Amino acid sequence: MKTQALLVPILLAAAGIASAQTGDNARRELQQAATGDSFSIGDTRFTLAPQAQVSALKTAQAADAQQVQVGKYQIKLQPGGAKSASKTVAPAKQKMAAAIADTGKPVVVTSTLNVYVADASALDAAVRASGGKLTYSSKVGGNGRIEFGSVQDAMSAMRKIQALAGVKEASPAIIEEENVLY
């Protein structure tokens, strides 16, 4: 009886370690698949993982060991996703994509750009030049959010917007854990 009492916790601990190692493997594979476009937010650089698919978790569901969970989303590599070494871009028409920070932390990238400007006219110019839809603006804060049809559209527009006079910074809105970071 004492042997069983000692053996059960040991087996449960071993199962937890194996599960954590499998989750670590999924993160490593995602990191290897991060071969797409890059962008920076502050001092942190992010690289898209084009072969990754982002989907919402169903209530009370956790991502399995072959997936990476970021907040309410799961990231799963498509077959052969980690093996691709070529520089590719995010798949067209996805509203969300996976990216890896230079720290190794996975995030979900949205199709919205956060734009910081010197004055409101620069934000208006950014909307006109990019073809996006303004969803938020603050003259006091000198910032706004521009929505696009896909992550790839946002990434392409980001380069145009960053080149405009009066634009201080433009970067995709990301989801990290439970929060959208702006």
Side-chain angles (χ1 to χ4, degrees), residues 67-80:
Q67 301 169 346
V68 176
Q69 184 173 344
V70 176
K72 296 178 183 177
Y73 300 93
Q74 63 186 2
I75 300 170
K76 185 174 186 176
L77 283 178
Q78 299 304 313

Side-chain angles (χ1 to χ4, degrees), residues 12 38 80 90-91 114 120 182:
L12 289 175
S38 295
N114 293 315
Y182 297 106

Side-chain angles (χ1 to χ4, degrees), residues 56-126:
L57 287 170
K58 294 177 177 65
T59 53
Q61 173 193 4
D64 68 33
Q66 302 304 316
Q67 301 169 346
V68 176
Q69 184 173 344
V70 176
K72 296 178 183 177
Y73 300 93
Q74 63 186 2
I75 300 170
K76 185 174 186 176
L77 283 178
Q78 299 304 313
K83 294 177 179 69
S84 175
S86 64
K87 180 88 171 170
T88 54
V89 294
K93 304 304 173 199
Q94 284 188 343
K95 295 291 271 181
M96 288 190 255
I100 296 290
D102 55 7
T103 61
K105 187 172 189 173
V107 298
V108 173
V109 180
T110 70
S111 60
T112 299
L113 291 180
N114 293 315
V115 182
Y116 299 89
V117 295
D119 63 71
S121 64
L123 187 57
D124 293 335

Side-chain angles (χ1 to χ4, degrees), residues 43-63:
D43 292 335
T44 305
R45 186 157 190 78
F46 298 87
T47 305
L48 293 174
Q51 294 80 18
Q53 181 179 9
V54 177
S55 58
L57 287 170
K58 294 177 177 65
T59 53
Q61 173 193 4

Side-chain angles (χ1 to χ4, degrees), residues 3-17:
T3 305
Q4 283 182 332
L6 291 173
L7 190 57
V8 170
I10 291 170
L11 290 175
L12 289 175
I17 290 170

